[in-house]
mmCIF file of all heavy atoms in Angstrom:
data_model
loop_
_atom_site.group_PDB
_atom_site.id
_atom_site.type_symbol
_atom_site.label_atom_id
_atom_site.label_comp_id
_atom_site.label_asym_id
_atom_site.label_seq_id
_atom_site.Cartn_x
_atom_site.Cartn_y
_atom_site.Cartn_z
ATOM 1 N N GLY Z 60 -1.097 17.444 12.938
ATOM 2 C CA GLY Z 60 0.143 17.929 12.337
ATOM 3 C C GLY Z 60 0.339 17.405 10.923
ATOM 4 O O GLY Z 60 0.717 18.143 10.019
ATOM 5 N N VAL Z 61 0.044 16.102 10.734
ATOM 6 C CA VAL Z 61 0.201 15.478 9.420
ATOM 7 C C VAL Z 61 -0.779 16.108 8.419
ATOM 8 O O VAL Z 61 -0.413 16.439 7.291
ATOM 9 C CB VAL Z 61 -0.010 13.941 9.512
ATOM 10 C CG1 VAL Z 61 -0.125 13.328 8.117
ATOM 11 C CG2 VAL Z 61 1.145 13.296 10.266
ATOM 12 N N TYR Z 62 -2.025 16.292 8.859
ATOM 13 C CA TYR Z 62 -3.027 16.916 7.987
ATOM 14 C C TYR Z 62 -2.621 18.341 7.611
ATOM 15 O O TYR Z 62 -2.760 18.760 6.472
ATOM 16 C CB TYR Z 62 -4.399 16.941 8.673
ATOM 17 C CG TYR Z 62 -5.194 15.682 8.464
ATOM 18 C CD1 TYR Z 62 -5.548 14.866 9.524
ATOM 19 C CD2 TYR Z 62 -5.596 15.303 7.171
ATOM 20 C CE1 TYR Z 62 -6.270 13.711 9.337
ATOM 21 C CE2 TYR Z 62 -6.313 14.151 6.978
ATOM 22 C CZ TYR Z 62 -6.662 13.349 8.065
ATOM 23 O OH TYR Z 62 -7.372 12.214 7.865
ATOM 24 N N PHE Z 63 -2.134 19.076 8.622
ATOM 25 C CA PHE Z 63 -1.716 20.455 8.392
ATOM 26 C C PHE Z 63 -0.549 20.498 7.405
ATOM 27 O O PHE Z 63 -0.535 21.290 6.465
ATOM 28 C CB PHE Z 63 -1.304 21.087 9.733
ATOM 29 C CG PHE Z 63 -0.986 22.551 9.641
ATOM 30 C CD1 PHE Z 63 -2.003 23.480 9.470
ATOM 31 C CD2 PHE Z 63 0.323 22.997 9.732
ATOM 32 C CE1 PHE Z 63 -1.713 24.840 9.392
ATOM 33 C CE2 PHE Z 63 0.622 24.357 9.655
ATOM 34 C CZ PHE Z 63 -0.401 25.275 9.483
ATOM 35 N N TRP Z 64 0.406 19.596 7.585
ATOM 36 C CA TRP Z 64 1.582 19.498 6.718
ATOM 37 C C TRP Z 64 1.142 19.147 5.284
ATOM 38 O O TRP Z 64 1.617 19.742 4.319
ATOM 39 C CB TRP Z 64 2.526 18.434 7.286
ATOM 40 C CG TRP Z 64 3.882 18.419 6.657
ATOM 41 C CD1 TRP Z 64 4.483 19.420 5.939
ATOM 42 C CD2 TRP Z 64 4.818 17.348 6.700
ATOM 43 N NE1 TRP Z 64 5.724 19.034 5.531
ATOM 44 C CE2 TRP Z 64 5.958 17.771 5.983
ATOM 45 C CE3 TRP Z 64 4.809 16.073 7.261
ATOM 46 C CZ2 TRP Z 64 7.080 16.946 5.829
ATOM 47 C CZ3 TRP Z 64 5.919 15.267 7.110
ATOM 48 C CH2 TRP Z 64 7.036 15.694 6.408
ATOM 49 N N ALA Z 65 0.205 18.183 5.186
ATOM 50 C CA ALA Z 65 -0.288 17.783 3.874
ATOM 51 C C ALA Z 65 -0.968 18.961 3.186
ATOM 52 O O ALA Z 65 -0.831 19.159 1.971
ATOM 53 C CB ALA Z 65 -1.254 16.613 4.005
ATOM 54 N N GLY Z 66 -1.704 19.760 3.990
ATOM 55 C CA GLY Z 66 -2.374 20.930 3.429
ATOM 56 C C GLY Z 66 -1.380 21.953 2.914
ATOM 57 O O GLY Z 66 -1.547 22.519 1.831
ATOM 58 N N MET Z 67 -0.304 22.171 3.690
ATOM 59 C CA MET Z 67 0.747 23.100 3.287
ATOM 60 C C MET Z 67 1.432 22.616 2.010
ATOM 61 O O MET Z 67 1.709 23.398 1.102
ATOM 62 C CB MET Z 67 1.801 23.216 4.404
ATOM 63 C CG MET Z 67 1.303 23.865 5.671
ATOM 64 S SD MET Z 67 1.142 25.651 5.523
ATOM 65 C CE MET Z 67 2.869 26.130 5.670
ATOM 66 N N LEU Z 68 1.699 21.305 1.944
ATOM 67 C CA LEU Z 68 2.386 20.742 0.788
ATOM 68 C C LEU Z 68 1.504 20.809 -0.455
ATOM 69 O O LEU Z 68 1.990 21.081 -1.553
ATOM 70 C CB LEU Z 68 2.772 19.286 1.063
ATOM 71 C CG LEU Z 68 3.981 19.064 1.969
ATOM 72 C CD1 LEU Z 68 4.118 17.587 2.290
ATOM 73 C CD2 LEU Z 68 5.257 19.574 1.327
ATOM 74 N N SER Z 69 0.200 20.577 -0.276
ATOM 75 C CA SER Z 69 -0.680 20.535 -1.442
ATOM 76 C C SER Z 69 -0.855 21.916 -2.062
ATOM 77 O O SER Z 69 -1.181 22.026 -3.245
ATOM 78 C CB SER Z 69 -2.034 19.929 -1.079
ATOM 79 O OG SER Z 69 -2.695 20.745 -0.157
ATOM 80 N N THR Z 70 -0.622 22.993 -1.264
ATOM 81 C CA THR Z 70 -0.711 24.323 -1.851
ATOM 82 C C THR Z 70 0.472 24.590 -2.779
ATOM 83 O O THR Z 70 0.368 25.371 -3.714
ATOM 84 C CB THR Z 70 -0.746 25.424 -0.756
ATOM 85 O OG1 THR Z 70 0.384 25.254 0.096
ATOM 86 C CG2 THR Z 70 -2.019 25.342 0.057
ATOM 87 N N SER Z 71 1.596 23.907 -2.512
ATOM 88 C CA SER Z 71 2.772 24.086 -3.366
ATOM 89 C C SER Z 71 2.861 22.985 -4.425
ATOM 90 O O SER Z 71 3.817 22.922 -5.178
ATOM 91 C CB SER Z 71 4.047 24.095 -2.515
ATOM 92 O OG SER Z 71 4.205 22.846 -1.873
ATOM 93 N N ALA Z 72 1.851 22.117 -4.479
ATOM 94 C CA ALA Z 72 1.868 21.025 -5.451
ATOM 95 C C ALA Z 72 1.587 21.559 -6.862
ATOM 96 O O ALA Z 72 0.894 22.556 -7.030
ATOM 97 C CB ALA Z 72 0.828 19.983 -5.079
#
Side-chain angles (χ1 to χ4, degrees):
V61 169
Y62 274 117
F63 186 73
W64 191 19
M67 293 284 283
L68 283 173
S69 64
T70 54
S71 63

